[in-house]
Amino acid sequence: MSLLIIGGTGTLGRQIVLQALTKGYKVRCLVRNFRKANFLKEWGVELVYGDLSRPETIPPCLKGITAIIDASTSRPDELDSLKKVDWDGKLYLIEAAKAAKIRRFIFFSAQNAEQFDNIPLMKLKSGVETKLKQSQIPYTIFRLTGFYQGLIEQYAIPILENLPIWVTNENTYISYMDTQDIAKFCLRSLQIPKTTNQTFFLSGSKGWVSSEIINLCEQLAGQQAKVQKVPLFLLKLVSNFFGFFEWGQNISDRLAFVEILNVENNFSKSTFELYKLFKIDPSEIIQ
């Protein structure tokens, strides 16, 4: 089986690439910057030029490909590229995949995406899910929470650099997951027919509140964090206020993401069935 991986230089994408190569898959990565992706070539990946904002570059990348794994996404504050890449580009990709008779399309979305139409990236993620389901391409969708790797930038670095960490006063538990484990589920789905045309919620087995993560980072860093607590209702109010102004749209969208953290999930209730289907031992998962 030959794989086209999009977003292979990213935090999640590189783990998928590495594990796919280890399992003996032929891996091709769609890239815009060959210099940035040079480490993938050194691993043994075939690099091909492709840009989701340039539709004509996509079909040639699919020649000889069996499955697509789309691990790419724009940052929520990159408003200019959101529609061009995460909507128009993804629709071009789906159409090209259909024409190329791709046998599996794996797409990574976000938890509760359909509940946040006011957040552009979440609205686009939800819309792409719908388009992929309607395309008749065999698909698997993984809805993710947060990455453990993302906590470094969010908590560890601000503590080390003596910068403030902004948190809400809500004790919402977030079940972060290691990208290595997400990659494991992703590649295992290619081997299990029952995962075709299914949507799965992936999260770790342990839920964390922000105070626990901060305490752990303080211990590791050997210094105290500057914690600034903001009531969730106030953050939402600020988000709505900035949304009235074109110059404040970036701020508005970034603040709106806090709402996602306030939505409870029931992932843990189906964890046992999920591991059983994917034939993964819970002891293999990084906590």
Side-chain angles (χ1 to χ4, degrees):
M1 180 179 283
S2 55
L3 310 178
L4 176 68
I5 299 177
I6 302 166
T9 60
T11 304
L12 173 59
R14 66 183 62 194
Q15 292 296 338
I16 296 172
V17 168
L18 191 57
Q19 291 188 29
L21 291 170
T22 302
K23 291 181 179 297
Y25 287 106
K26 181 180 178 182
V27 179
R28 180 185 299 168
C29 283
L30 181 150
V31 299
R32 290 181 297 173
N33 188 325
F34 284 93
R35 182 180 298 178
K36 181 180 178 181
N38 188 58
F39 72 95
L40 297 175
K41 185 177 181 180
E42 293 176 353
W43 289 356
V45 172
E46 177 192 358
L47 301 182
V48 293
Y49 175 76
D51 187 340
L52 292 180
S53 66
R54 298 180 61 191
E56 70 278 6
T57 67
I58 298 174
C61 300
L62 299 179
K63 186 177 180 180
I65 292 298
T66 310
I68 293 173
I69 299 176
D70 181 9
S72 67
T73 189
S74 299
R75 294 177 65 89
D77 56 353
E78 295 175 343
L79 294 180
D80 290 340
S81 66
L82 274 179
K83 185 178 185 301
K84 187 180 292 186
V85 174
D86 285 82
W87 180 248
D88 295 337
K90 297 298 171 89
L91 296 192
Y92 291 139
L93 179 62
I94 290 172
E95 288 303 313
K98 187 174 181 179
K101 295 181 169 47
I102 295 299
R103 300 214 303 252
R104 183 74 71 90
F105 194 124
I106 295 177
F107 177 67
F108 291 97
S109 188
Q111 66 156 327
N112 307 312
E114 75 286 350
Q115 298 181 33
F116 296 96
D117 282 349
N118 59 316
I119 304 176
L121 182 57
M122 295 298 101
K123 184 176 182 179
L124 298 181
K125 288 282 188 186
S126 180
V128 172
E129 282 189 36
T130 301
K131 292 293 185 181
L132 183 56
K133 291 174 183 177
Q134 294 172 345
S135 70
Q136 299 183 331
I137 302 171
Y139 68 86
T140 303
I141 296 171
F142 290 102
R143 287 188 161 195
L144 310 177
T145 53
F147 302 156
Y148 274 124
Q149 285 81 351
L151 299 179
I152 297 173
E153 181 179 354
Q154 188 176 358
Y155 293 99
I157 292 178
I159 291 176
L160 290 171
E161 297 183 352
N162 203 30
L163 297 173
I165 297 174
W166 294 87
V167 298
T168 69
N169 58 355
E170 304 290 330
N171 289 320
T172 303
Y173 285 85
I174 309 296
S175 300
Y176 297 97
M177 197 168 188
D178 194 283
T179 53
Q180 295 179 64
D181 294 325
I182 297 171
K184 190 177 299 181
F185 275 94
C186 170
L187 294 171
R188 190 65 60 87
S189 70
L190 293 172
Q191 305 168 341
I192 303 174
K194 286 185 179 180
T195 64
T196 304
N197 297 335
Q198 298 291 329
T199 299
F200 299 99
F201 296 85
L202 290 186
S203 66
S205 58
K206 174 178 172 55
W208 296 80
V209 293
S210 57
S211 59
E212 291 177 317
I213 299 170
I214 291 171
N215 289 338
L216 180 59
C217 290
E218 286 178 327
Q219 293 174 27
L220 295 174
Q223 61 189 73
Q224 273 196 319
K226 285 183 170 181
V227 180
Q228 303 290 337
K229 288 192 175 182
V230 182
L232 188 63
F233 80 88
L234 181 59
L235 213 49
K236 290 180 180 179
L237 183 63
V238 173
S239 174
N240 290 334
F241 172 76
F242 279 123
F244 282 111
F245 304 96
E246 184 178 353
W247 55 265
Q249 196 62 52
N250 265 6
I251 301 172
S252 172
D253 292 337
R254 292 174 66 181
L255 290 177
F257 267 89
V258 77
E259 296 180 49
I260 298 175
L261 304 183
N262 198 43
V263 175
E264 297 295 333
N265 63 66
N266 60 354
F267 297 161
S268 59
K269 298 176 184 177
S270 58
T271 298
F272 177 77
E273 291 81 1
L274 183 70
Y275 288 177
K276 185 177 178 181
L277 173 62
F278 281 82
K279 301 177 182 178
I280 292 177
D281 190 324
S283 64
E284 298 177 37
I285 302 301
I286 298 172
Q287 301 299 327

